[in-house]
Amino acid sequence: MPLSSRSRGAALAVLSAGTLMIILDGTIVTVALPSIQRDLGFSQSALAWVVNAYLIAFGGLLLLSGRLGDILGRRRILVGGLAAFTAASLACGLADSAGLLIAARFVQGAAGAMVSAVSLGMVIALYPDPAGRGRAMGVYSFVQSAGGVLGLVAGGVLTQAVNWHWIFFVNLPIGAAAALLSLRLLPDDRPSAGSGSPVRDVDAPGALLVTAALMLGVYAIVGTADHGWASARTGAFGAVSLVLLAGFLIRQSRAAQPLMPLRLFRSRLVTGANVVQALMVAGGFGFQFLVTLYLQRVLGYDPLRIGLAIAPTGLVIGVMSLALSARLGARFGERAVLLPSLVLFACGFLLLARVPAGHASYITDILPATLVFGVAFGLAMPALMTLGMSDATPADSGLISGVFNTAQQIGAALGLAVLAALASARTDRLAAAGHSPAASLTGGYHLAFLVAAGLLAAATLAAAVLLKAPVRGTGGADRTGGRGIEGGQGGPEGQDRVSDQDRVSASRGSRRAPGPTDRTAHV
């Protein structure tokens, strides 16, 4: 039975709260690392595993979690993930040894993947109408982006006012409430007994291959900070990851019930949105990380002051995501909103590439860039999420959500590793040439900011080429020659698939793009 508007709003709030908890945990730990190292006796190299254990489990299990949501029911996976994340947070807060904390962080990452992989698909299912979906995407993207900024502020406050244990304990009431309210407010979407896709049809070999490939890939990337890109270790793990990924793709092309049907990528919107997102996040993730290092190591800001300095970005993202993105998307189409936002995103990094090597003014040197990033991200992410999920059907929305989140995580890990390596190498060269520590560090950050701007330029080009709206003929026929996400053929089965796709397209609606040509924005 369809939910009322009020019930859908409450369900969206619950999904947002669960997602916020996961996003917060990804950044709130960062500012507490020195205190954790001091209390638990971590070595400098082992300390990185407080973050890496989470990232490896999270990135490796997103795809599998999304598919399990389609098969077992997304609400079931969501509630299980929230419960496991809450329990793991308690273990993290009580940890009295380095090994216990790392193990609990791994469980947190796995549980976080379960929540993140299905949340976006559930939002799509809650809001089938284009206008409501646009507003929901604005709320969801605001939670995703602003949560990272809030994590820095909360981490600084809790660590300095109480102790680092509370950055994990704060998850307990949020997680418990979100799990209980999810059971009460979210519809039970378990497939019926006769709907197919039973548990026994889960592609276990495919699940093992892709999970191992993604985990090893993320492991290789995060290890470059200590071992370098050209090391035998990085090459070996990277090569094994690629071999496993190739095996997974071969398996998917032959399996009777594939974990990830390759037909998904026949959709230009699904493929294009994931490519654009990987490039955008690879560059954009450097903002939070590199600006934090600049404020700390060059300007001498403490953790709380760093969080407050970046906070305007979260506020502006909120205004853009909640108040403007849906309206602009409805008026001009998501692609028309996305392209200028990506250009603006790149301009923000160009502003940062001119920050001074000391005695910087926050008002004139830092604040303009934080505001630009807020506007750009607050408009770009809702538009991109809408495009990326627009061809999702009820049967595969969890999987497409998992793919979208996986592209985000891989892009972030790869981009951060590349930008950090470039900044470090440039800093070392400048220091060897006799420059001051502040000038050397700033020079490294300048190079990373310019490379990030280049990645955003590449994302803009990819969006312009890959996310072109298809021309629709009379009766809604797609004249681009594509078969849609289902890849339907002739005969009754093909007609059923085309009908499913037509229903999804009808639920999205068509919007006329500005200009004299007879095109519609297919989002």
Side-chain angles (χ1 to χ4, degrees), residues 95-110:
D96 57 1
S97 69
L100 179 57
L101 179 60
I102 290 174
R105 287 286 288 166
F106 187 90
V107 176
Q108 269 194 319

Side-chain angles (χ1 to χ4, degrees), residues 55 217-218 220-225 229 275-290 293 349 406-424 444-445 447-456:
L55 291 177
V218 176
I221 291 170
V222 299
T224 58
W229 286 95
V275 171
V276 171
Q277 183 189 216
L279 290 168
M280 183 183 82
V281 175
F285 199 74
F287 160 69
Q288 183 173 292
F289 178 75
L290 294 171
L293 290 179
F349 279 108
T406 300
Q408 186 179 87
Q409 290 301 311
I410 297 298
L414 186 60
L416 183 57
V418 170
L419 294 176
L422 290 173
S424 179
Y445 300 143
L447 175 61
F449 291 143
L450 290 173
V451 173
L455 290 170
L456 267 299

Side-chain angles (χ1 to χ4, degrees), residues 299-324:
L299 302 186
Y301 282 28
D302 59 36
L304 180 58
R305 194 177 177 191
I306 290 172
L308 295 175
I310 300 178
T313 301
L315 296 176
V316 176
I317 288 174
V319 173
M320 295 296 108
S321 298
L322 301 177
L324 288 180

Side-chain angles (χ1 to χ4, degrees), residues 243-483:
V243 169
L244 291 173
L245 185 59
F248 168 72
L249 294 176
I250 293 172
R251 167 71 186 176
Q252 299 313 286
S253 68
R254 299 177 179 178
Q257 295 287 341
L259 178 71
M260 185 182 73
L262 298 183
R263 60 175 170 74
L264 294 178
F265 298 100
R266 294 175 186 170
S267 166
R268 187 173 57 201
L269 290 177
V270 170
T271 301
N274 279 284
V275 171
V276 171
Q277 183 189 216
L279 290 168
M280 183 183 82
V281 175
F285 199 74
F287 160 69
Q288 183 173 292
F289 178 75
L290 294 171
V291 171
T292 296
L293 290 179
Y294 172 76
L295 294 174
Q296 180 185 50
R297 301 176 68 183
V298 177
L299 302 186
Y301 282 28
D302 59 36
L304 180 58
R305 194 177 177 191
I306 290 172
L308 295 175
I310 300 178
T313 301
L315 296 176
V316 176
I317 288 174
V319 173
M320 295 296 108
S321 298
L322 301 177
L324 288 180
S325 63
R327 295 181 183 179
L328 292 176
R331 174 66 178 86
F332 300 105
E334 275 74 18
R335 181 177 180 270
V337 174
L338 177 63
L339 291 175
S341 300
L342 292 173
V343 172
L344 188 62
F345 214 152
C347 291
F349 279 108
L350 295 179
L351 286 176
L352 286 176
R354 50 183 293 276
V355 292
H359 307 293
S361 167
Y362 173 76
I363 298 298
T364 59
D365 295 318
I366 307 299
L367 182 60
T370 66
L371 298 177
V372 167
F373 284 126
V375 173
F377 199 89
L379 294 178
M381 186 51 80
L384 187 57
M385 284 198 299
T386 300
L387 288 167
M389 295 296 296
S390 59
D391 272 345
T393 66
D396 54 32
S397 63
L399 176 59
I400 295 179
S401 174
V403 171
F404 198 75
N405 280 286
T406 300
Q408 186 179 87
Q409 290 301 311
I410 297 298
L414 186 60
L416 183 57
V418 170
L419 294 176
L422 290 173
S424 179
R426 173 68 173 166
T427 296
D428 291 342
R429 287 196 297 270
L430 291 174
H435 292 272
S436 68
S440 300
L441 287 168
T442 305
Y445 300 143
H446 282 172
L447 175 61
F449 291 143
L450 290 173
V451 173
L455 290 170
L456 267 299
T460 306
L461 179 62
V465 173
L466 299 175
L467 297 180
K468 290 182 178 179
V471 180
R472 311 294 290 187
T474 57
D478 188 344
R479 300 200 317 236
T480 63
R483 295 183 182 274

Side-chain angles (χ1 to χ4, degrees), residues 512-519:
R512 184 172 299 277
T517 56
D518 187 18
R519 292 176 178 266

Side-chain angles (χ1 to χ4, degrees), residues 219-236 417 421:
Y219 179 70
I221 291 170
V222 299
T224 58
D226 295 322
H227 301 279
W229 286 95
S231 68
R233 175 191 179 279
T234 301

